[in-house]
């Protein structure tokens, strides 16, 4: 006769096996739920990170017309003679004519200063020596209108016997660039945002904050494309300042 009492070893073993199976199934279910939830959260996090990292890079331009505030005119001239004293005397006479020219135009005496001199000697085919004395004078003035008038009348120097050499020419400089840099950078950034907003509208997004920015170099050029100052060419005091800024904007 079989012993089927509750205390039998067979029933105890079966109970333990069923209990272990239930624990394994429970652990497996929890693990599966964790894997699914983790995968969802990871994927959602990657999507959010991708959206947060979306950006657009654009360039903004700012330009401003300015007038130079410093005029610099370099005058180069020379004289040649068979003796050094004669060449020096001729150059000194030209120097006096130049000073008189600028004085008549109303420039102070210290506005024109010598900035260089050179003496060279050469011999012709007959062995006769000659001396050449070269001189440079420089006018520096913040009176732009008076400087322009001087350039217009420069051929009066030729009538006085002063022959201008290569290297002579007026140059106008804008020295207050630092004063206009901040507002120009702001204007370039605003222009860049406008470009980013156009891009965002076309792609169904919105422009967010600035991710990064790079300021380009400031350039100062002739406003109307005039040539720079040089021998026989007059520079213009009317300049155009230009800056291009590269900006990265977040998109949302």
């Amino acid at each position: 006769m079989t012993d089927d009492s509750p205390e039998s070893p067979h029933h105890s073993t079966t109970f333990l096996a069923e209990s272990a199976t239930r624990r394994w199934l429970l652990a497996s279910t929890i693990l599966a739920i964790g894997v699914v939830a983790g995968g969802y959260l990871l994927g959602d996090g990657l999507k959010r990170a991708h959206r947060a990292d979306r950006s657009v890079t654009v360039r903004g331009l700012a330009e401003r017309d300015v007038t130079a505030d410093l005029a610099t005119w370099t005058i180069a001239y020379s004289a040649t003679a068979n003796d050094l004293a004669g060449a020096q005397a001729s150059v000194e006479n030209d120097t006096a004519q130049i000073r008189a020219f600028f004085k008549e135009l109303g420039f102070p005496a210290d506005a024109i200063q010598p900035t260089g001199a050179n003496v060279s000697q050469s011999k012709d085919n007959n062995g006769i020596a000659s001396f050449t004395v070269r001189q440079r004078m420089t006018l520096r003035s913040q009176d732009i209108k008076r400087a322009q008038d001087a350039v217009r009348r420069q051929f009066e120097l030729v009538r006085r016997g002063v022959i201008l050499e290569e290297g002579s020419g007026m140059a106008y400089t804008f020295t207050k660039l630092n004063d206009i840099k901040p507002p120009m950078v702001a204007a370039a950034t605003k222009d860049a945002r406008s470009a980013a907003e156009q891009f965002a509208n076309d792609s169904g997004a919105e422009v967010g904050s600035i991710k990064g920015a790079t300021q380009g170099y400031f350039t100062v050029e002739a406003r109307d494309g005039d040539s720079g100052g040089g021998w026989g060419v007059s520079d213009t005091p009317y300049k155009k300042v230009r800056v291009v800024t590269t900006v990265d904007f977040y998109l949302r």
Side-chain angles (χ1 to χ4, degrees):
M1 184 175 183
T2 304
D3 185 5
D4 292 330
S5 67
E7 303 297 331
S8 66
H10 173 73
H11 277 243
S12 298
T13 303
T14 302
F15 173 79
L16 292 175
E18 291 176 351
S19 177
T21 300
R22 287 196 297 271
R23 288 197 299 271
W24 182 85
L25 289 175
L26 179 61
S28 298
T29 301
I30 293 173
L31 178 61
I33 294 173
V35 169
V36 172
Y40 171 78
L41 293 175
L42 178 60
D44 186 61
L46 290 174
K47 289 180 180 178
R48 291 197 303 271
H50 177 69
R51 288 196 299 268
D53 192 51
R54 287 197 307 165
S55 63
V56 60
T57 300
V58 292
R59 291 183 178 181
L61 169 67
E63 294 180 327
R64 180 177 294 195
D65 291 338
V66 298
T67 301
D69 51 31
L70 175 64
T72 306
W73 188 4
T74 300
I75 300 175
Y77 52 102
S78 66
T80 301
N82 292 333
D83 59 281
L84 181 58
Q88 288 177 326
S90 181
V91 165
E92 289 173 359
N93 179 69
D94 288 347
T95 300
Q97 294 296 331
I98 292 170
R99 290 190 178 278
F101 170 74
F102 285 112
K103 182 178 180 180
E104 292 169 6
L105 290 175
F107 289 98
D110 59 357
I112 180 78
Q113 296 291 335
T115 54
N118 175 266
V119 178
S120 60
Q121 180 181 7
S122 62
K123 292 183 178 181
D124 60 19
N125 294 332
N126 297 320
I128 300 175
S130 62
F131 297 87
T132 300
V133 177
R134 289 184 170 83
Q135 176 77 47
R136 282 180 180 267
M137 301 284 286
T138 300
L139 169 76
R140 288 177 60 86
S141 176
Q142 294 180 330
D143 192 335
I144 301 301
K145 290 184 178 180
R146 198 180 298 274
Q148 288 180 286
D149 185 45
V151 172
R152 285 191 290 266
R153 298 171 57 179
Q154 63 180 306
F155 284 102
E156 291 186 15
L157 288 172
V158 177
R159 286 194 289 268
R160 295 173 186 237
V162 181
I163 306 301
L164 302 181
E165 292 189 332
E166 183 175 0
S168 300
M170 177 72 81
Y172 295 99
T173 306
F174 179 68
T175 66
K176 299 178 180 179
L177 183 60
N178 288 335
D179 295 343
I180 64 173
K181 277 185 176 181
M184 287 195 65
V185 170
T189 303
K190 183 178 180 180
D191 184 60
R193 179 173 285 276
S194 296
E197 289 174 348
Q198 181 62 53
F199 177 87
N201 290 335
D202 294 341
S203 59
E206 294 182 359
V207 178
S209 59
I210 293 177
K211 180 180 180 181
T214 302
Q215 177 188 306
Y217 291 105
F218 278 82
T219 60
V220 182
E221 300 174 348
R223 184 188 64 190
D224 303 314
D226 298 339
S227 301
W231 185 38
V233 179
S234 177
D235 189 14
T236 172
Y238 307 111
K239 307 291 185 179
K240 183 181 290 293
V241 182
R242 188 173 187 267
V243 64
V244 176
T245 300
T246 303
V247 186
D248 295 333
F249 289 99
Y250 284 110
L251 294 179
R252 57 176 183 266

